Amino acid sequence: MMKMLKVREHVYDYVKQIEPGLKYLWVRGWDLLAPLAHSALESAWGQSLLARKYNNYFGIKGRGVEMLTVEYENGKPVKRYAFFRRYDDVVECFADYDLIVKEDYPGAYAVRWNAESYFRIIAGRWATDPRYFEKLMNIYNYLYTIYLEQDILK
């Protein structure tokens, strides 16, 4: 029981950390648990160096900082360096995420209020991990359970 409570405290801490970004997406019609789950997976609940130092919570690639990452080739993980965007703050990252999804994944943007449909569309293009959709849905379902029990987004 104590371990579960600690995990939930960690979720609350993460929500507080990215709250300004979630507010940005809320007014744009997002199911907030979807980007919350997506960013949690990509940033290791805000603990990755990319998130902590560069405010990149979604693993968004582009000009910025070169870092070691894991990509999947033929279903096997391969470590390599890639360039990732850096942001001044959380809102800038979440605004860029919104814009990237709107422009590069219009089908996903059209269903951003429906996490399962949204994740099905982006999973194969956002990441190379063959289990990416499953991982996103597992985190989403975990968050949804907590939300129903304790309303983590209040």
Side-chain angles (χ1 to χ4, degrees):
M1 184 71 162
M2 198 61 153
K3 187 175 182 184
M4 184 64 116
L5 183 60
K6 187 173 181 118
V7 170
R8 290 192 174 152
E9 287 173 10
H10 183 69
V11 171
Y12 284 110
D13 291 344
Y14 183 61
V15 169
K16 278 195 263 179
Q17 183 180 345
I18 65 168
E19 183 178 9
L22 292 174
K23 286 180 177 179
Y24 181 90
L25 295 179
W26 173 254
V27 298
R28 285 156 182 80
W30 284 83
D31 167 355
L32 292 185
L33 293 180
L36 178 57
H38 195 182
S39 64
L41 177 59
E42 286 289 343
S43 72
W45 297 93
Q47 300 304 305
S48 72
L49 179 63
L50 191 59
R52 287 184 291 112
K53 189 169 182 181
Y54 302 109
N55 292 302
N56 186 334
Y57 291 86
F58 295 97
I60 299 170
K61 292 182 178 168
R63 291 180 70 175
V65 60
E66 187 176 27
M67 299 187 77
L68 188 62
T69 187
V70 175
E71 301 292 345
Y72 284 78
E73 294 178 1
N74 300 317
K76 297 184 190 241
V78 177
K79 291 182 180 179
R80 64 169 45 123
Y81 284 91
F83 284 92
F84 293 88
R85 294 182 188 179
R86 58 190 323 163
Y87 300 98
D88 291 332
D89 57 42
V90 172
V91 174
E92 184 182 14
C93 175
F94 278 66
D96 196 31
Y97 177 75
D98 181 66
L99 184 63
I100 289 167
V101 175
K102 182 188 277 186
E103 291 181 352
D104 297 343
Y105 305 83
Y109 195 78
V111 294
R112 65 193 179 280
W113 46 266
N114 181 313
E116 184 173 353
S117 297
Y118 175 75
F119 290 150
R120 280 195 191 285
I121 294 169
I122 68 159
R125 289 185 51 210
W126 196 274
T128 57
D129 183 343
R131 294 186 51 234
Y132 200 66
F133 172 77
E134 178 186 343
K135 290 176 181 180
L136 288 168
M137 285 306 300
N138 285 342
I139 294 171
Y140 179 87
N141 289 331
Y142 171 70
L143 290 168
Y144 188 71
T145 300
I146 295 171
Y147 173 74
L148 288 177
E149 291 176 359
Q150 300 178 15
D151 193 6
I152 58 173
L153 296 175
K154 56 180 160 176

